[in-house]
Amino acid sequence: MSITINYNNMMQSFIGDKGITDKQLKDVQSCAKKAYDTVESNRGKDMHGWMSSPYDQDEVAERIVELATKLRKTCKYFVVLGIGGSALGPIAVFTAMKHLYYNELSDSKRNGPKFYVIDNVDPERMQALFDVIELEHTVFNVITKSGATSETMSQYLIVMYMLTKRYGKDANKHIVATTSQHKGNLIKLAQKEGFETFYIPEGVGGRFSELSPVGLFPAAMLDIDIKELLRGAREMDAICRTADMSRNPALITAALHYISIGQGKNITVMMPYADSLKYIADWYCQLSAESLGKAVDLQGKTVNVGQTPVKSLGVTDQHSQVQLYTEGPFDKIITFIEVKNYRNEVVIPEGCQQFPDVNFLCGHSLNELISTELYATRYALTKQQRSNYTIVLDKVDEYHLGALLYLFQMQTAYIGAMLNINTYNQPGVEEGKNATYALFGRKGYEAKAQELKNAKKEESKYIVK
């Protein structure tokens, strides 16, 4: 495996007094060791079930590949209905592994179904989907562990109504359910309607679910090698089986973030220098925000911790965000993802001889240009004492992608343990959900409805018309 972490530009010896000292790293070792032990002692237990995902899915992976191979023969459109991790993970892996204009390719070049993810309830977006797919050639993958996710289940009701109206009892041939095996609404519907079904392990939450059937089935439908994804995750897990920060890439990055939070650096920017990894940043933002943004610690003490994750893309956002990163507040860590070997090489041809400020590019490649701009951006940030580190991938393939996903999951688990918080709950999300249920008059939410009714009324003097 060729994934390395270069954190020189986090250190005081490179960025001055805004950086981290060797003593700070040494002092945090005991906290990191405790976090490592906490995560390891919970391996496979409760909501740490995601740590078993690389190891215990050989059988389900075979069934996933078998069904996907069968469906791909006649399926022209594949649609995921999900939200949060059920959408962001499949989008990230799809974008990383497939042609960047995949849906626009001809059928012969694409050699697979067009892919869409509906992760919102905007009525215009839902209607737009039906303008571009042919229902008779579409498979819908409904993903919700509880079967009570309002957004996903509203989409399911719309789709199932249309399918049943057109195909009657054969509607079930167009739906694959991914849900809990033992509880919830969707498993009951799947059993009643006869849907093909894959199960989300009980100890795997949405934002940690990409290496479970949540992400593996969509990947297989797009002819992505899910066994290589899992192999990469396994080997990253093996690398992380040490409390020695100098040899555990997830633990050292966790320590860097933990120290930086103490320095007031409460924003974490994820900036891959590859369009293929653009949506890895989106996926990472959910993983970090929902896991680490918490009001109280495990003892109930108010702490209000967590870094605000920001997604960025090199070199695109050098022209929109880097000005702030270079000269704005000292409140950020920038994580670069560098790709050593792109899947294509594009040479810049000769031309514009009359313009020396353009012609100097000729004879070089876009590969050189993007790599040079990454180096230059790192240099500019470092010169201005801005904390940054780089994750270097040899290439973007299933193996390295699986390793990268698992690296971020381990990093998040370690940071949560170092912060002494519950990494796996999401009470802030639940409050919004409960208010929505109450506003719709859902049974059992009468007290919340009354609370909303008693809320302070808006004042017209604060509304501009």
Side-chain angles (χ1 to χ4, degrees):
M1 179 181 295
S2 182
I3 294 183
T4 59
I5 311 293
N6 180 349
Y7 61 95
N8 276 276
N9 297 340
M10 295 291 294
M11 305 303 294
Q12 193 173 93
S13 55
F14 280 80
I15 62 171
D17 60 7
K18 301 297 182 182
I20 295 170
T21 65
D22 289 329
K23 183 180 185 301
Q24 285 175 306
L25 273 184
K26 184 177 179 180
D27 290 346
V28 85
Q29 282 181 351
S30 60
C31 180
K33 172 66 164 57
K34 183 178 179 182
Y36 173 83
D37 290 341
T38 297
V39 172
E40 280 299 314
S41 66
N42 285 291
R43 175 176 288 270
K45 301 175 184 176
D46 300 320
M47 294 311 294
H48 287 79
W50 58 270
M51 298 179 74
S52 301
S53 295
Y55 299 98
D56 62 5
Q57 295 187 101
D58 289 347
E59 186 176 334
V60 72
E62 290 289 349
R63 192 164 78 84
I64 285 171
V65 171
E66 181 181 353
L67 178 61
T69 301
K70 174 186 171 184
L71 292 175
R72 281 168 52 84
K73 292 177 181 178
T74 56
C75 174
K76 292 184 179 180
Y77 309 91
F78 177 62
V79 180
V80 165
L81 305 179
I83 199 165
S86 302
L88 292 168
I91 292 170
V93 170
F94 160 71
T95 307
M97 294 313 311
K98 304 306 289 185
H99 192 287
L100 291 173
Y101 295 100
Y102 175 84
N103 279 357
E104 283 71 48
L105 292 173
S106 65
D107 290 348
S108 60
K109 287 184 177 181
R110 193 177 61 252
N111 193 31
K114 292 185 177 182
F115 180 52
Y116 301 95
V117 177
I118 306 300
D119 63 345
N120 207 341
V121 290
D122 184 324
E124 294 184 20
R125 184 173 180 183
M126 194 70 192
Q127 184 57 52
L129 174 70
F130 296 113
D131 291 334
V132 297
I133 65 172
E134 301 166 10
L135 205 59
E136 64 270 27
H137 298 300
T138 303
V139 171
F140 297 90
N141 183 200
V142 186
I143 308 175
T144 164
K145 193 172 185 179
S146 67
T149 308
S150 296
E151 299 86 356
T152 303
M153 293 309 293
S154 65
Q155 295 164 354
Y156 162 80
L157 288 166
I158 293 165
V159 167
M160 193 60 182
Y161 172 79
M162 295 178 69
L163 289 171
T164 303
K165 187 177 179 180
R166 187 175 298 187
Y167 305 114
K169 293 181 179 180
D170 287 337
N172 62 1
K173 296 177 181 178
H174 295 266
I175 291 185
V176 176
T178 306
T179 189
S180 170
Q181 182 174 5
H182 304 293
K183 58 186 178 182
N185 300 324
L186 188 53
I187 185 59
K188 296 172 185 175
L189 288 169
Q191 292 168 347
K192 177 186 175 184
E193 302 290 348
F195 301 149
E196 291 277 6
T197 308
F198 295 105
Y199 304 122
I200 307 170
E202 292 307 310
V204 177
R207 54 189 178 272
F208 287 86
S209 67
E210 178 55 23
L211 295 170
S212 79
V214 168
L216 298 180
F217 177 64
M221 282 294 294
L222 297 163
D223 201 26
I224 294 168
D225 190 337
I226 62 175
K227 294 179 182 180
E228 279 294 287
L229 283 171
L230 293 172
R231 186 171 76 90
R234 279 196 303 273
E235 297 205 11
M236 178 54 70
D237 184 57
I239 293 170
C240 293
R241 295 278 187 112
T242 174
D244 182 349
M245 292 193 303
S246 68
R247 295 189 294 120
N248 183 331
L251 193 57
I252 186 60
T253 54
L256 294 171
H257 281 268
Y258 178 76
I259 296 170
S260 296
I261 290 170
Q263 295 176 327
K265 295 169 185 172
N266 290 318
I267 297 173
T268 173
V269 180
M270 179 59 62
M271 194 168 187
Y273 269 67
D275 276 33
S276 61
L277 299 178
K278 177 179 180 179
Y279 288 98
I280 290 294
D282 290 63
W283 173 83
Y284 172 84
C285 283
Q286 186 211 8
L287 178 68
S288 176
E290 285 197 344
S291 297
L292 305 178
K294 300 295 162 66
V296 299
D297 66 13
L298 293 175
Q299 283 70 49
K301 178 184 175 183
T302 299
V303 289
N304 297 116
V305 296
Q307 292 175 304
T308 300
V310 175
K311 55 188 178 182
S312 192
L313 178 66
V315 299
T316 300
D317 287 319
Q318 289 176 201
H319 297 268
S320 65
Q321 298 178 21
V322 166
Q323 171 62 35
L324 173 66
Y325 303 161
T326 306
E327 296 191 350
F330 289 88
D331 58 357
K332 304 170 191 68
I333 296 176
I334 294 90
T335 303
F336 295 108
I337 305 180
E338 177 181 0
V339 177
K340 283 291 187 183
N341 298 291
Y342 292 88
R343 288 171 290 210
N344 303 100
E345 182 176 12
V346 177
V347 175
I348 304 168
E350 285 295 330
C352 293
Q353 288 84 353
Q354 70 273 40
F355 304 121
D357 55 352
V358 176
N359 184 253
F360 79 96
L361 295 166
C362 299
H364 295 286
S365 67
L366 292 184
N367 308 59
E368 292 177 86
L369 183 57
I370 195 170
S371 297
T372 301
E373 293 207 41
L374 168 56
Y375 178 87
T377 302
R378 272 201 312 245
Y379 173 79
L381 288 164
T382 302
K383 185 177 179 181
Q384 295 297 321
Q385 298 185 289
R386 310 296 162 150
S387 298
N388 66 91
Y389 69 92
T390 304
I391 301 172
V392 185
L393 274 67
D394 182 57
K395 56 185 175 180
V396 179
D397 60 10
E398 289 95 338
Y399 173 70
H400 287 86
L401 185 62
L404 184 66
L405 295 171
Y406 198 84
L407 169 69
F408 286 138
Q409 291 181 176
M410 289 297 292
Q411 171 188 299
T412 302
Y414 291 146
I415 297 173
M418 294 178 81
L419 291 172
N420 189 38
I421 58 171
N422 185 335
T423 309
Y424 303 101
N425 68 353
Q426 49 188 51
V429 176
E430 295 305 320
E431 177 65 21
K433 286 183 179 180
N434 293 339
T436 299
Y437 299 152
L439 290 167
F440 268 90
R442 179 175 166 181
K443 187 177 180 180
Y445 290 83
E446 293 81 7
K448 180 63 66 175
Q450 188 60 47
E451 177 189 323
L452 288 161
K453 186 177 180 180
N454 294 338
K456 184 174 176 62
K457 305 302 179 186
E458 294 179 344
E459 297 184 29
S460 60
K461 66 180 180 179
Y462 299 127
I463 300 174
V464 178
K465 295 184 179 179

